[in-house]
Amino acid sequence: MSINSKARRDAKKRKLERARSAAPAAANIEPHAELRDAQGRLLGGIVRRDGEWTLGLGGRIVGGSESAARVLALLERAAALHRRDGAQVSLGCSSALRSAADRELAERGVSFEQFREELEKELAIDPPPSLHLVADASGARH
């Protein structure tokens, strides 16, 4: 056995030990949709992370779902709200996200437009989340 082969084996062992002790790899994140303004800034997007579709808006994760159709409809709703406010936005979507949403809706037997209408009704019924709800103090005694 030569001295050089031992040095190579030892170097390989050290490299493996460093790799094992290094920080764990980041979760497998696949980008699938993005909402951008006229200047190209990212306003929102959808990624697939650990088997779940995750929706982000304004630099924050706003929710996740196993439903590709739901997150896509929500991102399209965000785009429509921006357009209603007069902003020019573009929405790009991967074929994998669109296919997953189409498959899901085909299994349900509804079109994307029907699904979007159902979602709008659902969102209109649910009160918006409020972080700082202040009760009416008109009945309070002093």
Side-chain angles (χ1 to χ4, degrees):
M1 178 164 36
S2 74
I3 296 173
N4 289 335
S5 61
K6 181 173 180 352
R8 282 193 303 264
R9 281 194 314 275
D10 290 344
K12 191 175 183 179
K13 284 180 187 178
R14 285 191 302 274
K15 186 177 178 181
L16 285 172
E17 286 174 19
R18 279 193 302 261
R20 285 185 195 135
S21 65
N28 187 14
I29 298 174
E30 308 164 19
H32 284 280
E34 57 184 36
L35 177 63
R36 294 191 177 269
D37 66 9
Q39 291 75 34
R41 289 184 299 247
L42 185 65
L43 301 173
I46 299 171
V47 297
R48 182 106 167 133
R49 185 172 84 181
D50 297 331
E52 181 179 65
W53 299 102
T54 303
L55 174 65
L57 292 171
R60 296 178 185 215
I61 294 175
V62 294
S65 176
E66 291 184 5
S67 170
R70 184 173 183 85
V71 292
L72 183 56
L74 288 170
L75 190 59
E76 286 184 357
R77 184 174 196 256
L81 291 172
H82 280 285
R83 289 182 185 121
R84 192 178 322 157
D85 290 341
Q88 292 181 352
V89 295
S90 63
L91 178 60
C93 175
S94 73
S95 59
L97 174 59
R98 181 62 70 181
S99 296
D102 290 344
R103 265 192 319 272
E104 177 186 335
L105 296 175
E107 289 173 5
R108 291 185 183 188
V110 297
S111 69
F112 195 75
E113 290 74 29
Q114 291 170 322
F115 179 79
R116 195 176 329 167
E117 289 173 10
E118 291 174 13
L119 182 62
E120 286 295 328
K121 288 177 187 173
E122 178 184 327
L123 293 174
I125 292 171
D126 290 341
S130 177
L131 299 177
H132 304 287
L133 183 61
V134 178
D136 182 15
S138 61
R141 295 182 191 195
H142 297 281

